[in-house]
Amino acid sequence: MGERCCAAVLRVLVLQAAWALAGGQVRYSVPEEAKAGTVVGRLAQDLGLEAGEAEARRLRLVAQGRRASVEVSGASGALLVSSRLDREELCGKSAPCALRLEVLLERPLRVFHVQLEVTDINDNAPVFPAARKNLSIAELSALGSRFPLEGASDADIGANAQLTYTLSPSEHFSLDLQKSNERNLVPELVLMKSLDRETVPVHRLVLTATDGGRPSLTGTMELVISVLDANDNAPQFNQSVYKVQLAESASVGTLVTRVNATDPDLGTNSQVTYAASSFIPPSGRDVISVNPNTGEIHLTEALDFEEVSIFDFRIEATDKGTPPLSGHCSVELEVLDVNDNAPEVWVTSLSVPVPEDASVGTVVALLSVSDRDSGENGRVRCWVWPASPFGLEATFAGSYSLVLREALDRERVSEYEVEVRAEDGGAPALRASRGLRVPVSDVNDNAPAFAQAVYTVLARENNAAGAELARLWARDPDEAGNGRVSYSLWDGGVGVGGGGAAGSSPGGGWRPASSYVSVDAESGRLWALQPLDYEELQVLQFEVRAVDAGEPPLSGNATVQLFVLDENDNAPALLPPAGSAPEAGAVAAPEAAAMALAGEGSVSGTLWAWATWGAPAGQVVAKIRAVDADSGYNAWLRYELWEPRGKGPFRVGLYSGEVSTARALDEADGPRQRLLIVVRDHGEPARSATATLSVSLLEAAEAALAAGSSSSSSLSRSAAAAELGPGAASAATNVWLVVAICAVSSLFLLAVVLYGASRWAPRAAVLSGPGPTTLVCASEVGSWSYSQRHSRSLCVTDGAAKSDLMVFSPNFPPPPPAPAAKDTQPEPSALLDTVSVNTLLVFYPYPTFCPSRCAGSAGIQAPFPWPENVECLTSA
């Protein structure tokens, strides 16, 4: 297709050249932008030159003032394009574009004028003055408003420069072309729809200019249309309602929230300020503050959920446009509860004191418990401390009853300090407490009780009438009249009997205890109404009753065992010889009275005994028997040979009273020995009695006769036989000798049997069990027991000296004939068993010690800790 174009162009040029030559001037036409080397025309031929002549005659172009874009080929003489031809550069908008060339031909010199017309091609697109055109249009501009635009230009000419305009599609703008003259069109921008800067702040359109060439070329220009803002938009919040939750513990200055309002306008039209209004409740005005520039809301006062839990207020945002526009939103501030309130406990009713016999379930107090917090923070748990004897029962929400859960005992606890504790369910939990003082009123529910069921009282005999024996005390834990105790003797069924039993009198018969003792009704002191005589009364048992002053009165009993302690007020009394007849009474010896020991004593008559000549040392001649109505040491007798003193033929056993020969008897001792024996007790001061023993010294035959007759006759008859003449005595010697041998043999066998029985008998049987008053003495001469009414040998042994020990096991009176009141009298066997164990009295022969509580009780000593139930008293 290009070749065809070139051929057509050449034909045109040839025709023009032919026309020019015909007119006397050569004319050529060449299109612009032809390539270098393109043959414009056959200049040599058109000038009429022969072939080769153009080179010979030097055919050339005359240089012009501007660079020529064509040249003459020296060989062919053709006019060629030497460089780029730009019509717009050569001629601009002039039409036609003809270049006048001078062709010089030398030899001969000849000048030819050649006109070269450069034809236009559409090689230039339309060009706008600027690639981008900025326009500013107010967003409130009226519809149909026109905005002229600067058109494009095209360097081409003719149809190639005829422009048409088009506008990119837009719903707001259209293009209208106006002719400024016959050749130019002026485009105008027409507003077809109202602008909204907030919707589309900038419109970008493309204006296209198209020339009339073939092919056509186009040029474009971007239209940037900025919509000028108008204050046509009110500020808008991003939320219509702001809901904020804030703990009531938030400190002052805490950021509550930040509201944000936007204004799509520009400049001052979009500058927003904030303000708060419409507070519900009105107190919220003082709680928060709003920053007018940033919209930040801060706390200005502390929150209190218990006062206000929700604050509602409005925030207004106003722009700075003219006129100013505003927008609104609501803020809902919810205050979250914090466990900042401890539970509160109130006592609405208190019923005190509480009787100690109040039944379980009795309501003592009514309480009200509350907590100003809410939810778990306000849920309260209550309990009582200590847990007993009271408890809590919920009556309805927030109300409790303090009730009795266990029986009360005022004597154990007279007053309770009760603490009602409450704890809420917060984290951490808060606690509160309320103390209650609950006194317990007394009820007479306790009988007086003695410290001991059995009181053991020791009193010396011969005490003064009115002496205080003991002080009894019964405890009643009740108070006031219920605990006020009065004491009295209870004589019902308690008496005394004869025969030396406890509470007996020599005359026999029952005597009430009130005849011996009296008790003070208020203090419980036990007084002696008369002097006591141990020989008359050793043990007195009675009961003391303690009665309170309650309604009804209650009582308690205690048994008092009064042991009378022996005084050495009886001197030893000599007993007649064993087996003596009534007529063998003692004969008074006035000289014995003169020889009595200093102090009060008793004097007995003369006793008779015999001994054989030549009797070896140690032979028992006689035995002095004596008894002392006292007991213990006071009744422990010792025998002393007062006359003759020195180395007499006889001696007396210190504790046995046996008179035996100290050496072998001889005729120098005479036919008769008179012995003065003093019997003395161990009392303080000691009392004594004297006995005169007349010992006749006989021959062996006479002694045998005397021994035989002593088994069937009295001492007086033996003494009479001793006065008989020697003849009569010799006649009866054989008879009495046989009798004496039999009697001695019998006595020896009996002694052996008794000694074996006492030797092998169990010792426990001797000392166990209650029995009559028994005195057990151990001394350097052996051990033996003594009673006022009978004696029993325990053991006879020789050994090293040891301290004396006396054990007193008291008897107890038999049960009285009258029935015991209220079944308080124990069984006799049980009473004997109990008292025999609990009332062991031990005496030492030498003063050792007495418990501190019995200081000053002379004569009552114990070598071991004093029993708690034994009281030490001395006579006044």
Side-chain angles (χ1 to χ4, degrees), residues 592-603 638 640 642 645 676-681 686-690:
M595 298 177 62
L597 293 175
E600 185 179 356
S602 63
V603 180
R638 60 185 176 181
E640 299 176 1
W642 190 259
R645 293 180 179 273
L676 182 61
I677 299 173
V678 177
V679 182
R680 182 184 301 169
D681 59 26
R687 295 178 180 270
S688 63
T690 58

Side-chain angles (χ1 to χ4, degrees), residues 128-138 147-150 173 189 201-207 220-228:
F128 286 94
R132 182 175 179 178
K133 175 69 174 179
N134 293 321
L135 297 176
S136 295
I137 302 176
F147 306 96
L149 301 176
E150 188 175 359
F173 296 96
L189 198 61
V202 176
H203 295 265
R204 296 183 180 273
L205 304 176
V206 178
L207 180 61
T220 59
M221 180 178 63
E222 182 182 12
L223 299 178
V224 179
I225 304 171
S226 299
V227 182
L228 299 179

Side-chain angles (χ1 to χ4, degrees), residues 391-668:
L392 282 181
E393 290 184 357
T395 54
F396 50 90
S399 295
Y400 295 87
S401 296
L402 182 66
V403 299
L404 190 62
R405 291 282 177 82
E406 299 177 4
L408 299 177
D409 186 358
R410 190 204 64 82
E411 290 70 38
R412 185 172 59 88
V413 181
S414 61
E415 183 176 276
Y416 290 90
E417 292 291 338
V418 179
E419 191 175 74
V420 179
R421 296 181 176 180
E423 180 183 72
D424 59 25
L430 298 180
R431 298 177 178 84
S433 62
R434 175 74 65 177
L436 298 176
R437 189 179 64 86
V438 182
V440 181
S441 61
D442 184 52
V443 174
N444 191 25
D445 57 344
N446 290 281
F450 287 92
Q452 301 172 204
V454 177
Y455 285 86
T456 299
V457 180
L458 304 180
R460 291 188 178 277
E461 66 174 327
N462 302 319
N463 60 302
E468 181 179 345
L469 302 178
R471 182 174 299 181
L472 306 181
W473 180 71
R475 179 180 178 272
D476 192 328
D478 296 326
E479 63 180 357
N482 296 333
R484 189 167 59 251
V485 179
S486 60
Y487 304 88
S488 63
L489 281 178
W490 183 53
D491 290 329
V494 178
V496 294
S504 64
S505 62
W510 293 96
R511 294 183 60 185
S514 57
S515 63
Y516 293 99
V517 294
S518 175
V519 64
D520 186 81
E522 294 183 359
S523 65
R525 293 181 177 181
L526 189 65
W527 307 94
L529 296 180
Q530 62 183 8
L532 300 176
D533 186 0
Y534 174 82
E535 289 70 35
E536 175 189 348
L537 177 70
Q538 288 122 31
V539 179
L540 177 62
Q541 180 173 320
F542 55 91
E543 287 193 359
V544 176
R545 172 175 293 179
V547 181
D548 60 26
E551 288 294 336
L554 301 178
S555 63
N557 298 330
T559 299
V560 178
Q561 296 172 352
L562 177 62
F563 292 94
V564 181
L565 301 180
D566 182 49
E567 289 283 346
N568 193 23
D569 58 347
N570 291 280
L574 295 175
L575 297 178
S580 62
E583 60 273 13
V587 180
E591 62 274 19
M595 298 177 62
L597 293 175
E600 185 179 356
S602 63
V603 180
S604 66
T606 299
L607 300 178
W608 302 93
W610 52 265
T612 61
W613 295 105
Q619 182 177 357
V620 178
V621 176
K623 183 178 179 65
I624 305 302
R625 300 173 65 244
V627 68
D628 195 322
D630 297 322
S631 65
Y633 277 97
N634 297 330
W636 188 14
L637 303 181
R638 60 185 176 181
Y639 302 85
E640 299 176 1
L641 180 60
W642 190 259
E643 287 185 0
R645 293 180 179 273
K647 297 181 179 180
F650 296 97
R651 62 183 177 184
V652 178
L654 180 62
Y655 296 103
S656 63
E658 292 180 346
V659 180
S660 61
T661 57
R663 56 179 171 79
L665 299 177
D666 54 22
E667 295 181 357

Side-chain angles (χ1 to χ4, degrees), residues 135 143 219 313 376 383 453 493 618 649 672 684 772 784:
L135 297 176
L143 297 179
F313 52 91
E376 288 296 326
W383 70 95
R672 182 175 300 173
E684 291 292 338
W784 51 277

Side-chain angles (χ1 to χ4, degrees), residues 160 199 218 381 461 599 649 678 705 785 802 863 875:
N160 293 333
T199 304
T218 61
R381 180 175 66 93
E461 66 174 327
V678 177
L705 180 62
S785 66
K802 53 184 177 180
S875 58

Side-chain angles (χ1 to χ4, degrees), residues 608 671-672 694 696 698 702 705 715-729:
W608 302 93
R672 182 175 300 173
S694 181
S696 299
L698 304 178
E702 295 176 351
L705 180 62
L715 285 178
S716 59
R717 289 197 178 105
S718 298
E723 297 294 332
L724 295 177

